[in-house]
């Protein structure tokens, strides 16, 4: 009986991934009067560790580069750079770059400053109540659409605009956004956490884009 149950559970779980997801299927919009001048685009990866996590570093002699470079690179003593970012962090980085270059700043030209994006607060919280219930009910309700699990992610994101003299000239902070998704047959996702992290970050960027749009003339003048 136990062997049959685990075999059934394995088949059921394999059917969960009926919906595929791509973080870049939809990107935030801005509709600015024009793009801001070219700038260095930096993501504070360390701040996003609370929601996106990191894989283990398999190297020796690791040293964090001081200054703004801290946010985007891990410098090794053997003069090479290696990336061990998690898949969720890679989604965040891809969304951030797409938003900046598609909506906000010119990609080519002399860089007039730096834009740094960081996570102010955030949490990725899975809920396994449905998982326990699925086990007790032999996953039969899951065949009719009951979820296997759910994940809720909340975030507050901040973006600093820094001039050529390394002065922060403008800061925009999103309000708190929250997204909840499910792992379920037919309508859910294999990894709901991947979806909630990306979608919550998109909402935060959209929020900041709206603020930048309202402040466009003043912000653009600062970097001319």
């Amino acid at each position: 009986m136990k062997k049959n149950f685990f075999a059934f559970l394995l088949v059921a779980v394999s059917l969960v991934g009926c919906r595929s997801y791509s973080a870049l299927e939809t990107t935030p919009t801005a509709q600015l009067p024009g793009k801001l001048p070219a700038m260095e685009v930096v993501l504070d990866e360390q701040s996003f560790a609370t929601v996106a996590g990191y894989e283990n570093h398999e190297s020796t002699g690791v040293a964090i580069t001081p200054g703004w470079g801290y946010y985007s690179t891990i410098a090794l003593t053997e003069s090479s750079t290696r990336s061990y970012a998690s898949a969720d962090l890679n989604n965040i980085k891809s969304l951030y770059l797409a938003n900046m270059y598609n909506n906000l700043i010119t990609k080519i030209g002399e860089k007039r400053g730096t834009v740094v994006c960081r996570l102010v607060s955030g949490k990725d919280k899975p809920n396994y109540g449905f998982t326990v219930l699925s086990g007790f009910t032999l996953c039969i309700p899951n065949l009719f659409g009951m979820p296997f699990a759910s994940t809720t992610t909340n975030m507050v994101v901040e973006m600093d605009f820094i001039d050529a003299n390394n002065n922060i000239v403008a800061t925009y902070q999103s309000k708190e956004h929250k997204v909840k998704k499910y792992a379920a047959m037919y309508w859910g996702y294999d990894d709901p956490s991947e979806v909630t992290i990306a979608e919550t970050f998109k909402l935060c960027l959209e929020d900041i884009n709206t603020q930048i749009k309202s402040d466009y003339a003043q912000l653009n003048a600062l970097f001319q």
Side-chain angles (χ1 to χ4, degrees):
M1 177 67 180
K2 183 181 292 186
K3 185 179 294 184
N4 290 337
F5 165 72
F6 283 113
F8 179 81
L9 183 62
L10 181 63
V11 173
V13 171
S14 69
L15 295 175
V16 173
C18 293
R19 293 186 64 185
S20 60
Y21 176 80
S22 171
L24 293 176
E25 283 179 358
T26 58
T27 54
T29 58
Q31 298 178 338
L32 301 182
K35 288 188 176 181
L36 298 166
M39 301 182 202
E40 191 74 30
V41 176
V42 178
L43 183 76
D44 182 347
E45 297 181 6
Q46 293 282 7
S47 70
F48 282 94
T50 57
V51 294
Y54 295 91
E55 296 176 9
N56 293 327
H57 292 276
E58 301 174 355
S59 57
T60 59
V62 177
I64 302 299
T65 305
W68 289 112
Y70 163 88
Y71 292 121
S72 60
T73 185
I74 295 178
L76 306 181
T77 55
E78 57 266 30
S79 300
S80 63
T81 301
R82 301 175 187 174
S83 175
Y84 294 91
S86 68
D88 292 321
L89 181 61
N90 283 332
N91 280 341
I92 287 172
K93 291 165 70 174
S94 296
L95 284 165
Y96 176 52
L97 292 175
N99 180 61
M100 295 307 297
Y101 291 128
N102 293 346
N103 297 319
L104 301 181
I105 66 171
T106 303
K107 191 171 185 178
I108 300 174
E110 179 186 356
K111 291 180 171 55
R112 306 293 181 86
T114 305
V115 185
V116 180
C117 181
R118 69 176 58 83
L119 181 72
V120 176
S121 64
K123 188 174 183 180
D124 185 48
K125 183 179 181 181
N127 186 332
Y128 297 111
F130 283 117
T131 308
V132 175
L133 182 59
S134 297
F136 279 114
T137 58
L138 303 181
C139 296
I140 293 174
N142 303 105
L143 295 173
F144 299 93
M146 187 184 84
F148 285 95
S150 67
T151 298
T152 303
T153 301
N154 64 74
M155 288 188 199
V156 176
V157 169
E158 188 174 80
M159 198 178 292
D160 285 338
F161 284 80
I162 303 161
D163 65 16
N165 297 317
N166 211 32
N167 297 314
I168 298 176
V169 295
T171 298
Y172 300 94
Q173 186 177 110
S174 73
K175 64 181 180 181
E176 183 180 38
H177 290 278
K178 183 182 294 185
V179 173
K180 183 176 184 178
K181 296 291 182 181
Y182 296 87
M185 292 184 186
Y186 321 121
W187 59 275
Y189 296 92
D190 269 330
D191 183 3
S193 180
E194 177 188 25
V195 185
T196 58
I197 288 172
E199 292 297 320
T200 308
F201 185 58
K202 283 181 187 178
L203 291 176
C204 291
L205 291 179
E206 191 84 54
D207 190 344
I208 290 175
N209 287 355
T210 300
Q211 297 175 47
I212 292 173
K213 181 180 179 181
S214 299
D215 205 22
Y216 171 78
Q218 180 181 350
L219 187 60
N220 188 50
L222 290 171
F223 291 95
Q224 293 302 323

